[in-house]
Amino acid sequence: MHARTRIAAVVVATIGALTVTACGSGSTVVDKPKEHAAAKADNGKDAKKEKSAAPEVAKVGDTLTLKGYEDGSRLDVTVVKVADPGKPADEFTEAGDGKRFVGVQFQLVNTGKAVYSDSPSNGAQVTDSKGQQFDSTFADITAGPSMSSSLKLKPGAKGLGWVVFEVPKASKVDTVQFTMNSGFADQTGEWKL
């Protein structure tokens, strides 16, 4: 009976250690945008001034490079546009009482060596100025087509689409985050809106 107890204790300890390791032991938030090609190409004094004046935090239009779990899994992620409020695409879809839709258009470019296969909306969240976070919802808005819920990108390929969030009407949306692997990768990109 003592041997079973020891085995059970070892199994529980091992599962606990694996859970702690898998749950964000190296989690980071990436918010420094990639340098624009024009600033890299110009080696003059104006490029140095532009670089020092560049935003420290990513905003709409900026690209962040994120890594996924698998070796060679990497995306360049750009927040292209924001639709706030987002108008429902049909008469059957509407936000709940006291809420509105907010749409964020993402462009994902597979810059890694592995195929990217995921449901990108699972890894997206918006945060309001009070710190409340909101996950994506299933809704289409008139701003454009939704991001595929089953996106597969070979290296070099790109995907473009809207991810929709349902937030209280009074909330001021402040940031949007994106994490690969349906939100479970260690790197999270964050853009100020």
Side-chain angles (χ1 to χ4, degrees):
M1 191 146 184
H2 291 295
R4 284 187 180 174
T5 304
R6 281 190 214 148
I7 291 172
V10 168
V11 168
V12 169
T14 303
I15 290 171
L18 290 173
T19 302
V20 169
T21 302
C23 290
S25 61
S27 294
T28 58
V29 175
V30 177
D31 63 358
K32 303 290 185 233
K34 289 179 73 169
E35 290 184 42
H36 295 287
K40 283 184 183 179
D42 184 359
N43 291 329
K45 292 180 185 177
D46 291 337
K48 290 180 183 177
K49 284 182 186 176
E50 186 177 316
K51 188 174 180 181
S52 65
E56 291 292 315
V57 178
K59 60 185 184 343
V60 175
D62 287 332
T63 301
L64 299 176
T65 299
L66 301 174
K67 295 177 187 175
Y69 273 143
E70 298 175 21
D71 284 341
S73 179
R74 182 186 327 248
L75 290 178
D76 274 359
V77 182
T78 306
V79 169
V80 180
K81 296 178 188 174
V82 176
D84 186 6
K87 183 179 174 192
D90 60 52
E91 68 273 10
F92 305 109
T93 305
E94 58 183 58
D97 287 343
K99 296 184 178 183
R100 72 183 192 278
F101 290 133
V102 174
V104 178
Q105 187 182 40
F106 287 96
Q107 177 176 284
L108 309 178
V109 179
N110 186 345
T111 56
K113 295 177 182 174
V115 170
Y116 171 74
S117 179
D118 198 5
S119 179
S121 62
N122 289 344
Q125 289 185 323
V126 292
T127 304
D128 70 10
S129 57
K130 294 179 181 177
Q132 298 176 101
Q133 292 188 327
F134 305 95
D135 293 324
S136 64
T137 190
F138 293 104
D140 291 322
I141 58 175
T142 58
S146 293
M147 180 68 76
S148 173
S149 62
S150 177
L151 190 64
K152 291 175 181 55
L153 300 175
K154 66 182 181 180
K158 66 181 170 182
L160 178 70
W162 289 86
V163 176
V164 179
F165 306 89
E166 189 175 31
V167 302
K169 285 183 179 177
S171 290
K172 181 185 181 309
V173 178
D174 190 51
T175 60
V176 62
Q177 292 184 333
F178 180 83
T179 309
M180 292 176 66
N181 303 107
S182 286
F184 290 102
D186 287 335
Q187 282 191 328
T188 297
E190 181 175 273
W191 294 260
K192 186 86 169 157
L193 302 178

